[in-house]
Amino acid sequence: MSADSRDETLATALGGIRQSRRAFLQTVAAVGGSLVVGFQLGGPTQAAAARAGKGAKPWSANAFIRIAPDGAVTLVVPYVEMGQGAYTSQAQLLAEELDVGLDQVKVEPAPPDETLYSHPVFGGQVTGGSASLPGSWATLRQAGADTRALLVAAAAKRWNAQPSELRTEHGQVIHTGNNQRLGYGELVAAAATLPAPAQKAPLKPLSEYKLVGHSVKRVDTPAKVNGTAKFGIDALPQGVRYAAVRATPVFDGKVAGVDQAPALAVRGVRQVVVLDDLVAVVADHTWAARKGLAALDIRWNEGANANVDTAALVAQCDAALEREGVVAVKVGDVAAARPAKRYEATFRQPMLAHATMEPINCTAHVTKDRCEVWVGCQVLGRAQKRASEASGLPLDKVIVHNHLLGGGFGRRLEADYVHQAVRIAKHVDAPVKVIWSREEDIQQDYFRYHNHSRVWVGTDREGMPVSFHHRVVGPAIMATFLPIFFKDGVDFDAVNGAAGPYDFANARVDFVRQEPPTGLHVGNWRGVGHTRNVFVVESVIDDLAQRAGIDPVEYRRRLLGKSPRSLAVMELAAQKAGWGRKLERGQGLGMSVQDGFGSFLATVAQVRVAPDGKYKVERVVCAIDCGVAVNPDIVKAQLMSGVVYGLSAVQYGRITVARGRIVESNFDTYPVLRMRDTPPVEVHIVPSTADPGGVGEPGTSGIFPAVTNAIFHATGKRVFDLPIDTELLKGGRHEA
């Protein structure tokens, strides 16, 4: 039985899984002769869902352990691997409690099924929000322990022994008295017939863990090194053709006309597909398709957005700052506070693109009764739905093969490229691989939109806050992407982290919704709400400290009494960075502190600024308390990755608009950080026994204010608008 048909059989057999655990195990025992255990992977946001007024869904399994008669262990999870190490950490959790080697566990992404594999909080097959590991921590270990207990019980029955006389090791049950051994595969049939234990099996103490908490080798590395790993761009179904595409460059524009002859004259070009908003050239190979597309003179109906530019978008957001927002956070009474001094600052952050290493791509084949898609996507169920919409076929006629992702960063939380590929494939009598050029990738992105903030702070005579008011202006992405996080006019992601981890007696955060023009698509960007708000809050705290004449670390220390984990990471980062030491002329250290995704992070940047305004980030030090670090190497890699991604944005990132078009088109106009400019990044992990938090996103947001605060301490110039403008840094004090 193939993996696809086996999963279809499993889904049918389980029927939504509203059964007792005993009935569930009996039901799936016959599937392929394997023992199959289903369980629910949750998320770290159950409390957030409750605050949003939405209860979690009724219990249903969305992950499965299969143990075959030959002893092979397969973990089917609803999460995808996009470089973040999800497969490895999930395998570690299971292998630890199941008592098998990491080399004995194979991880498979679940096939598309929004019902069977739905996230209990997000409500779909979503990999994002740094939620995979926190959502698996408790249930995946427990599923491993319970499955191990069933196998032990099966062996005890066969040997007429007590379970207490048996132990497990590397996929075997061993009788401690006579050293008899049975492999797990030999026990699966018997285990599936046993009654479920009345109580959960006990978990190992953390002190006995051999895999969890250790830097084991990643399970996806060998295939990526030897070239056998399959990304979406590697899909090669038989008879595949290649398409180069150009969608309307003007937001919400349409195709007005095109002469197809120049493209058809190019050797290897098979056809030109003209749709209402795009033109695609289909050929025998990519070069012919691109050459044919370049030969075309496409005429566009530019529509109502032809005169939109960045200045107009910024002006709209500035105007929104003058409006009262919907209250998202309220502590005490800001209006009733009687400060001795008042502080006000306005921040502007630009649009940003994702610029993933693997450009957007999707391969599709559409026939009259079937649609098949090969892609790398963070939202597999949505990809299937978009393919169904585009093909006009029901969901059960749409097959999606999900592959590894060459970078997600939130871009592949959308499925627009799947919809587009299927629309094109409907006009091609063969599978067609649509690969976007880098220009198309950047200009047709789902951008992080303009975000503006204004902060008012009232301070006492010593300069400490007595009131904190933050107004956030931006789009409500969650209103359409994950409505559970949008309520009463507040986008919970947009205001996430908008008051920081600090103990303010009186605080208010309000949200003013400002959407982009129709056709200018916006979406999630790595770090989501924190990338907007941590920069603002930490810049303000640093500015207040300077105005009060208090060391920035000491100032934060006085505000973190109710967040001991935040305080601890700040102290560690400061120590490791040598905070307080005498610096050279033009050097500065900048601190930022944040909590989010269940983790606590402090970031220190060391920056050197020259009198001409040019600067260099010389060193970055991070200290994180992410609870149990399941794989410390992955934690470090993710923080380093986040720092590099954030540095690209804070130094260069800006998407601009002219005549309704995105101006930037490739890495020459939308630069990313090069290896030669990447500073050393140190990561220090605070030992913890708390449940794991997310690590994929915090590093990105933490570096923004760490760099700009360091620039201030080197030059006396405060950065309020991003990316950093070196012209504004000229003529600073540049003192030692």
Side-chain angles (χ1 to χ4, degrees):
M1 182 181 291
S2 70
D4 287 340
S5 60
R6 182 173 58 234
D7 284 315
E8 290 173 8
T9 303
L10 178 62
T12 303
L14 298 180
I17 312 179
R18 297 292 188 270
Q19 310 170 55
S20 71
R21 185 162 175 269
R22 159 79 170 140
F24 169 64
L25 291 174
Q26 284 183 327
T27 300
V28 299
V31 179
S34 300
L35 171 67
V36 182
V37 177
F39 54 99
Q40 185 184 79
L41 294 179
T45 49
Q46 296 279 3
R51 287 196 298 271
K54 306 283 187 178
K57 290 187 173 184
W59 186 91
S60 63
N62 64 6
F64 302 91
I65 301 166
R66 288 198 306 262
I67 303 179
D70 65 358
V73 179
T74 302
L75 173 62
V76 181
V77 295
Y79 306 128
V80 300
E81 176 61 64
M82 51 187 171
Q84 83 280 35
Y87 283 5
T88 303
S89 58
Q90 304 287 324
Q92 282 180 263
L93 296 183
L94 174 61
E96 186 69 74
E97 289 291 349
L98 188 56
D99 246 353
V100 297
L102 198 61
D103 59 340
Q104 294 176 275
V105 179
K106 178 184 178 183
V107 181
E108 285 184 3
D113 189 323
E114 291 269 62
T115 300
L116 186 61
Y117 297 107
S118 178
H119 194 289
V121 174
F122 293 161
Q125 281 178 276
V126 179
T127 302
S130 292
S132 301
L133 181 58
S136 304
W137 170 248
T139 50
L140 185 45
R141 289 183 303 134
Q142 191 62 59
D146 288 349
T147 303
R148 175 167 49 89
L150 274 174
L151 294 165
V152 168
K157 185 176 182 180
R158 179 175 299 187
W159 289 329
N160 194 26
Q162 293 298 316
S164 59
E165 299 175 304
L166 312 181
R167 63 183 179 87
T168 55
E169 181 181 298
H170 209 73
Q172 293 183 319
V173 180
I174 304 169
H175 196 299
T176 55
N178 55 27
N179 205 34
Q180 284 183 286
R181 296 169 181 256
L182 284 170
Y184 285 176
E186 300 173 82
L187 295 166
V188 293
T193 67
L194 295 177
Q199 297 180 334
K200 294 179 180 179
L203 299 176
K204 300 178 185 177
L206 291 177
S207 60
E208 293 182 9
Y209 276 178
K210 300 175 182 177
L211 294 173
V212 171
H214 299 273
S215 296
V216 300
K217 294 180 179 179
R218 289 179 53 144
V219 300
D220 54 329
T221 297
K224 290 177 178 177
V225 171
N226 64 30
T228 59
K230 297 298 182 184
F231 294 82
I233 205 167
D234 296 321
L236 287 173
Q238 187 174 4
V240 68
R241 295 175 186 167
Y242 300 81
V245 63
R246 182 67 170 126
T248 170
V250 182
F251 315 139
D252 220 26
K254 303 296 180 185
V255 177
V258 59
D259 178 8
Q260 300 183 21
L264 294 173
V266 174
R267 184 177 180 180
V269 170
R270 294 291 190 103
Q271 66 186 102
V272 178
V273 177
V274 181
L275 302 178
D276 63 338
D277 60 344
L278 64 86
V279 176
V281 175
V282 181
D284 292 332
H285 50 82
T286 300
W287 175 240
R290 291 194 175 187
K291 189 175 180 181
L293 186 66
L296 294 178
D297 181 15
I298 307 171
R299 301 182 302 281
W300 302 100
N301 181 346
E302 298 185 351
N305 292 323
N307 295 318
V308 172
D309 61 16
T310 293
L313 301 180
V314 170
Q316 290 173 0
C317 292
D318 275 346
L321 282 172
E322 307 305 322
R323 303 200 300 265
E324 285 288 324
V326 181
V327 177
V329 175
K330 187 177 186 298
V331 177
D333 190 342
V334 167
R338 294 292 180 263
K341 301 176 185 177
R342 297 184 185 275
Y343 170 94
E344 179 178 326
T346 299
F347 298 81
R348 297 176 181 86
Q349 299 178 64
M351 284 171 51
L352 297 174
H354 293 86
T356 59
M357 182 62 70
E358 179 191 11
I360 291 297
N361 65 87
C362 180
T363 302
H365 188 201
V366 180
T367 62
K368 67 177 182 179
D369 58 1
R370 180 184 174 95
C371 175
E372 198 162 5
V373 171
W374 296 261
V375 71
C377 186
Q378 293 176 247
V379 282
L380 194 52
R382 293 187 188 186
Q384 186 186 36
K385 287 181 179 179
R386 295 305 305 274
S388 174
E389 294 167 3
S391 66
L393 294 169
L395 279 177
D396 62 357
K397 299 297 183 182
V398 177
I399 298 171
V400 179
H401 307 280
N402 205 36
H403 295 270
L404 296 171
L405 284 63
F409 310 135
R411 177 61 181 97
R412 288 179 165 90
L413 284 171
E414 307 295 337
D416 56 303
Y417 48 96
V418 176
H419 189 267
Q420 182 194 85
V422 173
R423 290 173 63 209
I424 294 169
K426 287 175 66 176
H427 300 271
V428 182
D429 61 357
V432 59
K433 178 185 287 191
V434 181
I435 303 176
W436 290 13
S437 65
R438 183 59 68 182
E439 289 77 10
E440 195 78 358
D441 190 8
I442 289 178
Q443 295 179 334
Q444 301 294 336
D445 203 348
Y446 273 61
F447 304 99
R448 195 195 81 169
Y449 192 53
H450 290 279
N451 284 264
H452 291 197
S453 284
R454 182 166 293 157
V455 178
W456 300 267
V457 182
T459 63
D460 60 22
R461 295 186 183 279
E462 285 70 44
M464 299 303 296
V466 297
S467 65
F468 180 92
H469 181 189
H470 183 179
R471 177 167 296 161
V472 178
V473 170
I477 296 168
M478 292 296 118
T480 54
F481 182 75
L482 281 177
I484 193 173
F485 293 109
F486 180 79
K487 185 184 179 186
D488 298 332
V490 176
D491 184 307
F492 291 161
D493 174 64
V495 299
N496 202 358
Y502 301 107
D503 181 19
F504 296 124
N506 303 287
R508 170 181 167 136
V509 175
D510 57 80
F511 173 66
V512 181
R513 184 174 181 177
Q514 180 61 50
E515 298 292 341
T518 302
L520 199 174
H521 300 297
V522 296
N524 295 286
W525 192 86
R526 184 175 186 176
V528 287
H530 276 73
T531 62
R532 304 181 286 268
N533 297 323
V534 172
F535 166 63
V536 173
V537 173
E538 289 304 287
S539 296
V540 168
I541 293 295
D542 204 77
D543 207 4
L544 292 172
Q546 181 270 329
R547 291 166 184 261
I550 302 172
D551 176 83
V553 168
E554 173 57 29
Y555 194 89
R556 288 175 172 85
R557 190 179 286 126
R558 298 179 188 182
L559 294 171
L560 289 173
K562 293 185 178 180
S563 183
R565 295 174 75 182
S566 294
L567 180 61
V569 294
M570 183 188 71
E571 301 284 14
L572 180 59
Q575 174 198 345
K576 296 296 184 180
W579 192 273
R581 61 186 164 86
K582 185 172 178 60
L583 300 174
E584 299 176 10
R585 183 179 299 275
Q587 280 186 319
L589 289 179
M591 171 68 76
S592 77
V593 181
Q594 66 185 94
D595 63 348
F597 309 100
S599 293
F600 301 80
L601 175 69
T603 306
V604 178
Q606 178 176 307
V607 178
R608 184 185 298 271
V609 187
D612 63 0
K614 294 180 180 179
Y615 66 94
K616 179 179 178 59
V617 181
E618 297 181 317
R619 182 188 180 206
V620 176
V621 177
C622 300
I624 187 167
D625 177 351
C626 58
V628 175
V630 172
N631 190 316
D633 272 358
I634 290 179
V635 172
K636 293 177 181 179
Q638 281 294 284
L639 281 174
M640 292 176 182
S641 168
V643 165
V644 171
Y645 200 70
L647 278 174
S648 292
V650 74
Q651 294 187 221
Y652 315 120
R654 179 191 284 122
I655 289 291
T656 58
V657 179
R659 298 187 300 114
R661 295 166 165 81
I662 300 299
V663 174
E664 291 70 26
S665 60
N666 209 314
F667 291 128
D668 57 337
T669 50
Y670 191 79
V672 297
L673 196 69
R674 305 287 179 169
M675 290 181 68
R676 65 175 179 268
D677 300 318
T678 302
V681 181
E682 302 171 23
V683 176
H684 303 276
I685 301 173
V686 175
S688 175
T689 58
D691 289 354
V695 297
E697 311 202 59
T700 299
S701 46
I703 194 62
F704 281 53
V707 170
T708 56
N709 289 340
I711 285 174
F712 173 81
H713 293 293
T715 66
K717 299 294 187 77
R718 181 69 63 185
V719 176
F720 294 96
D721 298 347
L722 294 177
I724 298 165
D725 184 353
T726 56
E727 287 296 314
L728 299 179
L729 306 186
K730 292 180 178 179
R733 61 172 181 256
H734 302 95
E735 296 176 353

